[in-house]
Every structure is written in structure tokens, then in C-alpha cells.
Amino acid sequence: MRLQRHPQGTAMTETIFDKTSAGRDEVRTRARGLPQRLRSVLILVDGARTEAALRQAVERTGAPVDTVETLLSMGLIQPVAVTAKVAQPAPAGELVEQAFAAATTADPERFRIAKKFMNETVVDALGLRSFMFTLKLEKCATLPDLAALAPEYTRLVQKAKGAAVSAALASRLRELLI
């Protein structure tokens, strides 16, 4: 399913992808031996990212243009449609206030998703070397705690996987934290 605009332009339906059980198994076991760039995109699929955002990540990581279709055909991801409102761009000062409000609001589901994302991606990037970072991650109890670890997370992933993968993962983390 692709982006569909309603006549008034106030709402749209957009596809969101999530990993299948085979996709989650592949992230854990690496049994299929996916090329690294395909694997990086698979890791980014989390059931919250829109198709457009996922395709931007494909571009940033240098993965093949048909990566989403490839992962679909392999049965590693599946589409989930949601309806969302089209947001009007906010002035810069207002955007900063919204980001702070979002970081200080208690949102356990968003916290859980962000923490899981950080844990899975840092373990994938570093393997056993991620142990000290995951200990710090386990001590986090709020979104601001996770945000405080974001610079270290980005640094570690960049060192292990390079600037392109790090930029894509850091961008997704920012989306989850704000």
C-alpha cells in the first residue's frame, strides 16, 4: 500500500512495516546471510516507521533501491496500514518546545520501543562489545535518560558500522525520542 491523500489533504493512509517472526529470527541468528545493507534496513523496521521514512533510510545506507520489496518477498517484513493526520510544519522555536515536552512526558510505550531499538541495534553493531553500553541502557527509566545516552550510542555505532549506517540509526532514534 502506498501513500494515499484524501481530497481535503487533512489525512492520509500510509504503509508502516513490521518484522515478521522470520525477520526477528534473522536479526537474532543471521541464518540467511543477508548482505549487511539489507540487514541494516531490516533492523530499522520496527512497526512504527512509515514507508517514506524507511525508503529514506534505504537511500542513506546505500542499500539497493528495491530493498523494501526484497525484504517483503523474502517474508522478513509485512505491511501494516494506519491513518495519520498531515502535520503542518511548526516554527523552529515551537518545535524545540514540542521536543522538550515529548521528552518529559511519561510515555511508557514509546520509551519501551526506543530502548528496545537502541539495545537491538547496538548489540547488532558491536556484538559482545556492547555489554557495557547495554548495562547503562538497562539503568534508563525515562525518555530523557535514553536521550542522554544518544551521543554515546551514535559514536559506538559509527565506530563499528560507519557513518552511513550510524546516521540512519541516529535519525531513527531521534524520531523515537521526540
Side-chain angles (χ1 to χ4, degrees), residues 23-82:
R24 287 187 290 280
D25 288 344
E26 176 58 27
V27 169
R28 273 193 313 276
T29 65
R30 300 179 186 227
R32 296 181 189 220
L34 287 179
Q36 185 58 43
R37 291 182 177 172
L38 250 59
R39 180 175 167 70
S40 295
V41 173
L42 177 61
I43 290 168
L44 291 173
V45 175
D46 62 358
R49 182 179 285 224
T50 64
E51 180 178 2
L54 189 58
R55 291 193 184 279
Q56 287 176 344
V58 167
E59 288 178 29
R60 283 193 302 267
T61 61
V65 176
D66 65 344
T67 295
V68 173
E69 290 76 14
T70 301
L71 294 173
L72 274 168
S73 69
M74 294 175 78
L76 299 175
I77 63 174
Q78 61 190 1
V80 181
V82 297

